[in-house]
Amino acid sequence: MPTNKQRREAARRKLERQLQARQERARRRRQANLVASIVGALVVVAVVIAFIAFTGKDKSTNAASTGSTSASPSASPSGVQPASYPCKYAAEGKAAKTIKAPTNTKPARTGSAVVSVKTNRGPLTFTLDRKNAPCTVNSFVSLVKQKYYDDTKCHRLSTEGIYVLQCGDPSGTGGGTPGYTAEDEYTGAEKYGPGVLAMANTGSADTNGSQFFIVYKDSSAGLQPKYTVFGKVTAGLPVVNKVAAAGVAGGKTDGAPKLGVTIQSMTSLAP
């Protein structure tokens, strides 16, 4: 029969075993909770990453070009797009009128080119800037010499936000191209004051084609500096002002001009 001392010793050992078992269970619970917390945190991070990726993709899709060529109002700043030289003209789509892309990829980068424009509303003179936009001017003069612009309508007038008359699409739809694109030539510091000539684009980089716009009232606050400025209207701007004063067909603020404008011919007066 065990003595009192033996019974106390057995009770002590039993208590120690119970304490050890309790501590082990507590340790396992803490370990399980830690693992669960880590897994939960990883799930949250994965969800956040997936959400950001999905949101970024959605924004990119929403910002995609519709394919039409235009000058669009915006007050957002734009990054610098350095001019490239020699010039690059990339084949793109079907030409609205059959012509050939420029073969000269190293045009002059000094001086001016002068183009005489005859319209049904009166004559205009364009003075083109070879220094700041040599590749654009080279393309424009090439189209002039191939009579691409002859007998084409200026299809768009904007009288709110931006103040431009847009021309240069033989199809008259706003989606016509010469069958090639030219690279941008802008610095990000462009100003679009009265008389400025600039290339329209699709909203994406390096999509200059044949369409251009004439600014008849300061539009610097409404246009991002992402449209290549390639010259000025040095004579005949009152003709454009008269068209603008008549407004847009149907009383709208953007669309076909009420007082229709047809470019009857363009002639290059200087190389």
Side-chain angles (χ1 to χ4, degrees):
M1 186 174 181
T3 64
N4 289 336
K5 181 178 179 180
Q6 289 173 331
R7 284 195 292 270
R8 287 195 298 271
E9 186 65 24
R12 184 183 64 77
R13 288 196 297 268
K14 181 179 180 180
L15 179 61
E16 287 178 350
R17 288 194 299 271
Q18 289 175 339
L19 289 173
Q20 289 174 353
R22 189 179 303 165
Q23 289 171 351
E24 180 63 20
R25 288 195 296 272
R27 186 187 68 80
R28 289 177 180 175
R29 280 197 300 271
R30 289 194 299 270
Q31 188 177 42
N33 289 338
L34 178 61
V35 171
S37 298
I38 293 172
V39 171
L42 291 174
V43 169
V44 171
V45 170
V47 170
V48 170
I49 291 173
F51 175 78
I52 292 172
F54 176 80
T55 303
K57 181 179 179 181
D58 184 56
K59 287 181 179 178
S60 176
T61 301
N62 290 339
S65 167
T66 61
S68 61
T69 303
S70 64
S72 302
S74 174
S76 302
S78 175
V80 174
Q81 172 66 46
S84 65
Y85 195 89
C87 307
K88 297 177 182 178
Y89 304 108
E92 181 69 32
K94 184 178 180 181
K97 185 184 288 188
T98 303
I99 51 89
K100 294 181 180 179
T103 55
N104 177 18
T105 59
K106 294 183 178 181
R109 290 191 281 179
T110 58
S112 302
V114 180
V115 173
S116 174
V117 184
K118 182 181 178 182
T119 80
N120 63 324
R121 302 297 172 188
L124 305 169
T125 299
F126 294 169
T127 301
L128 312 183
D129 182 0
R130 290 191 182 279
K131 178 182 178 181
N132 293 311
C135 298
T136 302
V137 171
N138 184 51
S139 172
F140 193 87
V141 170
S142 173
L143 292 172
V144 168
K145 290 181 176 180
Q146 294 181 75
K147 302 187 181 301
Y148 181 87
Y149 294 114
D150 290 9
D151 300 314
T152 63
K153 291 184 178 181
C154 293
H155 61 277
R156 180 192 180 200
L157 176 69
S158 185
T159 61
E160 186 176 289
I162 59 174
Y163 308 94
V164 303
L165 176 67
Q166 189 164 322
C167 314
D169 175 13
S171 75
T173 64
T177 77
Y180 67 87
T181 56
E183 294 186 343
D184 296 319
E185 293 179 295
Y186 60 77
T187 64
E190 279 71 15
K191 299 297 182 182
Y192 301 96
V196 162
L197 284 170
M199 295 303 297
N201 58 46
T202 66
S204 298
D206 302 325
T207 55
N208 295 333
S210 60
Q211 294 186 47
F212 63 95
F213 59 91
I214 301 169
V215 182
Y216 63 87
K217 180 180 176 181
D218 187 38
S219 300
S220 298
L223 285 171
Q224 287 190 40
K226 66 174 186 178
Y227 300 97
T228 299
V229 173
F230 67 101
K232 291 200 72 174
V233 178
T234 48
L237 191 58
V239 171
V240 181
N241 290 332
K242 182 179 179 180
V243 172
V248 178
K252 300 177 182 179
T253 58
D254 193 285
K258 185 176 182 179
L259 195 61
V261 184
T262 298
I263 295 173
Q264 297 171 325
S265 66
M266 281 195 190
T267 306
S268 177
L269 301 180

